Amino acid sequence: MAQPDDERLTALAARFERDDPRFAQAMRAGRPSPPREYRRRGAWWALAVALAVLITGVVLADGLLIATGLVLAGMAAQLFDPHRMRGRQRPPRR
């Protein structure tokens, strides 16, 4: 492999280590885990809670619970976005 290719691979490995240390460690061990963008266990739990609140609101005919369930469902849906920024600022628009 040419030297520039080695440098690119080293830079890529460093970026993976910085962005998702768990994924990088699993790759080094030879048993890769899904990257952080595709781990959505918390999102599924949030959606389940939101739907439970929504259904409870419909059964009890309580508008406040229905509204709360809809808002929670919207918040849970945002957790499924694989490209959401985690505490970082968005790059400037050009």
Side-chain angles (χ1 to χ4, degrees):
M1 212 181 261
Q3 182 65 18
D5 291 336
D6 288 341
E7 291 173 3
R8 279 190 249 163
L9 287 175
T10 303
L12 182 62
R15 191 173 120 216
F16 273 132
E17 181 68 35
R18 184 183 67 242
D19 289 345
D20 195 352
R22 180 177 163 195
F23 179 70
Q25 177 64 29
M27 288 296 286
R28 274 195 300 275
R31 46 181 174 73
S33 66
R36 177 182 304 151
E37 294 87 20
Y38 299 105
R39 291 184 229 139
R40 298 193 175 111
R41 184 175 300 160
W44 284 110
W45 279 107
L47 187 60
V49 168
L51 290 178
V53 171
L54 180 62
I55 291 171
T56 303
V58 170
V59 169
L60 296 177
D62 186 0
L64 186 59
L65 277 178
I66 293 172
T68 303
L70 289 173
V71 169
L72 289 175
M75 291 169 57
Q78 288 292 317
L79 296 175
F80 283 100
D81 182 13
H83 302 292
R84 72 181 188 275
M85 303 296 268
R86 289 180 170 261
R88 293 180 270 175
Q89 292 191 0
R90 295 183 185 269
R93 295 181 104 183
R94 295 181 183 174

